[in-house]
Amino acid sequence: MFRLYYLIFVIANIGIGTNGVSPKSKVRYFPDGFIFGASTSSYQIEGGAFDDGKGLSIWDIATHMDPSPIRDQSTGDIATDSYNLYKRDVEIMNEIGLDFYRFSVSWPRVLPGGFSNYINQAGINYYNNLINEMLKNNIVPFLTIYHWDLPQELQKLGGWANPAIVDWFTDYANVLFEHFGDRVKYWMTINEPKQICYEGYGSDKKAPMVNISGVAEYLCAKNVLLAHASAYRLYDEVYRERQNGTVGIAISFTWAEPASDSEEDQQAALDARQFDWGQYTNPIYSKDGDFPIEMKRNIAAKSAEQGFKRSRLPELTAAEVMTIRGSADFLALNTYSSKLVYRDASVDGMYAVPSYMDDMGTVFIKDPTWPQAESSWLQEVPWGFYKLLLEVNRLYDNPRIYVTENGWSTAGGLQDEDRIRYLRNYLSALLDALEAGCDVRGYCVWSMIDNFEWMAGYSEKFGLYEVDFSSPDRSRTPRKSAFVYKEIIKSKSLNPHFEPDVYLEEVVAIEDKVKDEDVAYNE
């Protein structure tokens, strides 16, 4: 039962406006066994950054830099305070009716120094309590081992650019398998390798902001793949028989659509897809393994032009290819948007500065007619989601897929008609993909509650529940989208005409109260 009140306006007719895709007017049903969830991650919601023996992460360091690189100068020190309010979070899971909840473990909360020689029991207790509370309420835990909060002590040693991290990560995964594997049956080793490697090591878009493009992200990519495969092989050899779980990896996907029908732009779109996600999916899920040929070709050619004695893309040995290939029971697919792509030849020759974008040789643009979210990078393009699922099906022999992140950002407020439209249109595209034969087993919205959105801080809201970050108790209030998603889960159907009950008087009172509090807080 949803607590608090809720504010819902009568909906005006809303069109999709996404390149000719029109809303389905009939009720559509999800197949038997299809499951629905919601996602969060440790640094983004837990808080308790310095409590109970937790070590420092690279995000604890980044958010306390002076000047702050975070848009609103905020931190995750408290965030939504889920470290103390996890029972309220499980209540929310029940209120929505989730089948599963995807969360991550904070590496430095469990291993404060990064290494497995010392295990912080308070950290183990917290995740035991969370998992047990979920199971008590029939919520299936989907656990992500690593979602970007690397222990700072390991970053001092090079972090994901140091090959030794393969062993460090495997040791960490072993601790989690040992402590939680009796109850956790769905594991994701690493969340979004591209964001770790390109944004964290090849640029300054994410912590640790190493920003050595054209080199650091490729060192990172190889080590991430080997670390994932090592943890998978460990589970396979030591834990699978007695714990009977499954292990995958969460990879971010953006559909790259050619900006024209020209052969050049068609190839540019293919290159973009291989650099964006193929460099991580191809080694694991393809029959041949290894980095995509487009990456190997482009980076080798650019490296030679720039005077390097060898390609800046590290080679995977035959043994490493074998270790990585097939190291997943399922694909955890994160996707939000699509981009138009054209070929960029503006930088060429021996004087070009090494960079990931130059190696790719493409430019990403957006169609101005696509609906725009609060996040500049996020537009609503449901047909791109459909094309993406079909392409993954074709390339990787129809792998078992869980969509583990998909969502829409707003500036805040309880009336989120655009989020509802986005969710319905993307779920409709998913149903189209299911009808076309794609093996998608579940869908997970990002995110269950508002949280710390990395470099954007708290300025972008993705939650089905609004969090009042000015309140000491971090109160959570359901948005309209929470009620719509609840009905989708309950009915296992997509009904474009469904409207939650309207409690207009209560709603207006709540909205006025929230506005008054916001004004007082800002003053």
Side-chain angles (χ1 to χ4, degrees), residues 388-505:
L388 169 63
L389 290 173
L390 263 59
E391 184 69 356
V392 170
N393 179 338
R394 184 185 71 82
L395 289 175
Y396 308 123
D397 194 25
N398 202 13
R400 174 159 53 109
I401 292 172
Y402 294 94
V403 177
T404 45
E405 285 187 28
N406 179 244
W408 184 259
S409 62
T410 67
L414 298 176
Q415 307 160 64
D416 53 349
E417 305 290 353
D418 48 353
R419 177 177 288 111
I420 292 167
R421 184 193 66 229
Y422 176 95
L423 292 176
R424 283 174 167 164
N425 291 338
Y426 271 67
L427 283 169
S428 184
L430 190 155
L431 283 168
D432 290 340
L434 286 172
E435 291 174 1
C438 294
D439 187 12
V440 184
R441 305 288 184 90
Y443 173 88
C444 200
V445 65
W446 182 274
S447 60
M448 187 174 78
I449 55 179
D450 288 339
N451 50 51
F452 179 84
E453 286 297 334
W454 310 113
M455 291 305 202
Y458 300 104
S459 64
E460 297 173 2
K461 315 293 188 181
F462 278 86
L464 296 175
Y465 274 58
E466 182 174 75
V467 175
D468 182 358
F469 291 103
S470 67
S471 167
D473 63 0
R474 295 300 196 265
S475 58
R476 290 108 153 101
T477 305
R479 293 190 166 101
K480 181 176 180 181
S481 58
F483 289 84
V484 171
Y485 194 51
K486 173 187 175 74
E487 176 61 22
I488 291 170
I489 297 170
K490 180 181 178 181
S491 66
K492 300 295 183 186
S493 69
L494 193 58
N495 181 355
H497 307 297
F498 171 76
E499 279 294 314
D501 294 334
V502 177
Y503 304 101
L504 194 54
E505 291 182 6

Side-chain angles (χ1 to χ4, degrees), residues 34-235:
F34 192 90
I35 58 175
F36 291 92
S39 297
T40 61
S41 83
S42 51
Y43 186 79
Q44 293 179 274
I45 68 164
E46 284 180 4
F50 314 108
D51 295 348
D52 298 333
K54 176 186 167 293
L56 294 177
S57 78
I58 55 175
W59 280 97
D60 293 318
I61 300 300
T63 56
H64 286 271
M65 291 172 61
D66 186 16
S68 172
I70 310 303
R71 185 186 304 167
D72 58 5
Q73 290 79 54
S74 62
T75 75
D77 290 0
I78 302 174
T80 71
D81 198 23
S82 288
Y83 187 63
N84 295 302
L85 301 176
Y86 70 90
K87 288 188 176 181
R88 172 62 188 134
D89 290 344
V90 176
E91 284 181 3
I92 289 173
M93 298 172 208
N94 263 329
E95 289 170 3
I96 303 173
L98 299 182
D99 298 311
F100 71 99
Y101 174 59
R102 183 199 169 199
F103 67 102
S104 73
V105 170
S106 167
W107 190 337
R109 192 178 296 285
V110 172
L111 304 180
F115 300 105
S116 61
N117 62 308
Y118 172 69
I119 299 172
N120 180 27
Q121 189 58 45
I124 297 295
N125 292 345
Y126 169 68
Y127 294 109
N128 271 329
N129 291 337
L130 173 61
I131 291 166
N132 291 340
E133 189 74 12
M134 289 166 59
L135 293 174
K136 187 168 71 175
N137 288 273
N138 299 313
I139 311 294
V140 176
F142 272 52
L143 191 156
T144 306
I145 296 173
Y146 179 75
H147 196 131
W148 304 358
D149 43 359
L150 186 73
Q152 176 63 14
E153 293 304 299
L154 300 186
Q155 184 55 42
K156 290 178 183 178
L157 300 174
W160 288 102
N162 186 339
I165 201 167
V166 175
D167 290 334
W168 305 336
F169 178 77
T170 307
D171 293 343
Y172 164 51
N174 188 55
V175 170
L176 303 195
F177 293 150
E178 188 63 40
H179 284 83
F180 310 132
D182 59 325
R183 288 152 293 154
V184 174
K185 306 305 175 186
Y186 293 89
W187 298 88
M188 283 147 284
T189 54
I190 294 168
N191 182 73
E192 297 187 341
K194 180 194 172 182
Q195 281 65 29
I196 297 167
C197 295
Y198 167 60
E199 296 192 357
Y201 288 79
S203 76
D204 59 359
K205 298 176 186 293
K206 295 281 190 299
M209 297 181 284
V210 172
N211 201 19
I212 305 177
S213 190
V215 178
E217 62 264 76
Y218 303 139
L219 298 175
C220 172
K222 177 176 180 176
N223 293 333
V224 162
L225 286 165
L226 288 171
H228 155 77
S230 178
Y232 177 87
R233 301 299 176 194
L234 170 69
Y235 190 85

Side-chain angles (χ1 to χ4, degrees), residues 47 144 331 517:
T144 306
L331 170 60
E517 290 175 350

